[in-house]
Amino acid sequence: MSQLAEISLTQEVKRDSDYEKIARVISLISENYREQPSLDELAKNVSMEPTALQKLFTRWAGLSPKGFLQAVTIDHARRLLAADLPLLDTAYELGLSGPSRLHDLFVTHESMSPGEIKSGGAGLTIHYGFHASPFGLALIMATTRGLAGLAFCDIGDERATFDDMAQRWPFATFEEDLSATQPYAQRVFNPSQWRDNQPLRVVLIGTDFQVDVWEALLKIPMGRALPYSQIAQDIGRPKASRAVGAAVGANPISFVVPCHRAMGKSGALTGYHWGLTRKRAMLGWEAGQVGEA
């Protein structure tokens, strides 16, 4: 093995090791935030010195473990909901700088035709691959038209997660192709790659009602959240809160189409298809990006 290859392999092994530790800490914080675990307790669980964990976590998540802990509490969730809708409208008019700008400025999306939806994906080829992310393994699915699916799982749950996604389009052809999905993995989780002049291409595969809900989710700025009832009003279906909740849960492009920013009126996180731990982790990670921890 060449010296360059040895260095590359060493770096990859270290990256995987770092990822496993961070994922464990995020899980511990998200599951035990009510007990307010200390840095020493978290470090002990991943066999690290507290100072080393502080540096590693801050580099990975964009804020300290303590800041992340604050960002996954119910109080923070309530603050996310505190902004009235007129403020969101103002954000549209004025624009915001940095990662807190409205999500849809970084995403350009189109919808499949009703015929394509009715066919269950017949004639559609979807490339897929699993990639490391701040929120566990990410299953990325893409067509020639753009990102079509993004799901999350833990190591060992890949088959179940793939089946969960694939059943949405039962007659599509699925091909594992990391070269096709890697570019999406590199962009989706790296705010430095979020550019309004080079928006991420997304294709929404769902019913008209579902697409309306998903488009409403795209309009929620990072660092904010909306209750299901407000989303229902926004799409002109004020009595359809339950149906909105179902559409949010069926969102096939998690994180990019930010269904984690939908909450109960009280700030309760309610359900999340890929687990409440991940929902808390996403909100905490975003707090690090916009400096709201």
Side-chain angles (χ1 to χ4, degrees), residues 13-79:
V13 170
K14 183 179 185 303
R15 183 190 65 78
D16 288 345
S17 177
D18 287 349
Y19 166 73
E20 291 174 2
K21 290 175 180 177
I22 290 297
R24 175 64 178 156
V25 172
I26 287 177
S27 178
L28 287 168
I29 291 175
S30 300
E31 293 171 1
N32 302 287
Y33 68 94
R34 291 183 179 85
E35 284 74 36
Q36 299 286 296
S38 67
L39 178 62
D40 288 346
E41 291 172 328
L42 295 171
K44 183 178 180 180
N45 270 278
V46 292
S47 302
M48 291 183 69
E49 291 296 322
T51 301
L53 174 59
Q54 177 96 353
K55 291 180 179 178
L56 176 62
F57 194 96
T58 301
R59 184 173 71 248
W60 185 275
L63 72 171
S64 68
K66 181 179 180 180
F68 190 94
L69 178 59
Q70 293 172 344
V72 298
T73 64
I74 189 68
D75 289 337
H76 180 74
R78 291 187 178 119
R79 289 199 301 274

Side-chain angles (χ1 to χ4, degrees), residues 55-233:
K55 291 180 179 178
L56 176 62
F57 194 96
T58 301
R59 184 173 71 248
W60 185 275
L63 72 171
S64 68
K66 181 179 180 180
F68 190 94
L69 178 59
Q70 293 172 344
V72 298
T73 64
I74 189 68
D75 289 337
H76 180 74
R78 291 187 178 119
R79 289 199 301 274
L80 296 181
L81 287 167
D84 294 329
L85 273 183
L87 291 181
L88 296 182
D89 295 337
T90 300
Y92 282 121
E93 296 298 325
L94 301 180
L96 301 170
S97 60
S100 62
R101 290 185 65 188
L102 295 180
H103 213 82
D104 62 345
L105 291 181
F106 301 104
V107 175
T108 179
H109 64 279
E110 63 174 291
S111 304
M112 287 289 188
S113 69
E116 290 171 311
I117 300 301
K118 188 175 181 180
S119 71
L124 181 67
T125 297
I126 299 178
H127 301 284
Y128 72 92
F130 285 90
H131 303 268
S133 84
F135 316 112
L137 284 179
L139 170 58
I140 293 178
M141 294 181 159
T143 72
T144 56
R145 294 160 65 175
L147 179 68
L150 176 54
F152 297 94
C153 69
D154 298 319
I155 293 174
D157 294 334
E158 293 93 334
R159 183 76 247 179
T161 302
F162 173 83
D163 290 344
D164 182 289
M165 293 293 287
Q167 57 87 25
R168 302 164 189 252
W169 314 296
F171 302 114
T173 298
F174 294 91
E175 296 180 358
E176 185 172 15
D177 186 351
L178 294 178
S179 65
T181 55
Q182 180 64 34
Y184 291 102
Q186 292 173 337
R187 289 195 61 183
V188 166
F189 304 109
N190 185 355
S192 68
Q193 298 296 313
W194 299 353
R195 301 188 180 99
D196 53 358
N197 63 341
Q198 293 180 334
L200 180 69
R201 292 176 57 205
V202 167
V203 56
L204 301 177
I205 307 176
T207 65
D208 289 345
F209 178 81
Q210 288 175 326
V211 170
D212 285 345
V213 172
W214 301 338
E215 288 177 338
L217 293 174
L218 279 168
K219 297 174 182 177
I220 305 174
M222 182 182 288
R224 292 287 181 268
L226 287 183
Y228 298 109
S229 58
Q230 185 60 63
I231 295 172
Q233 288 189 28

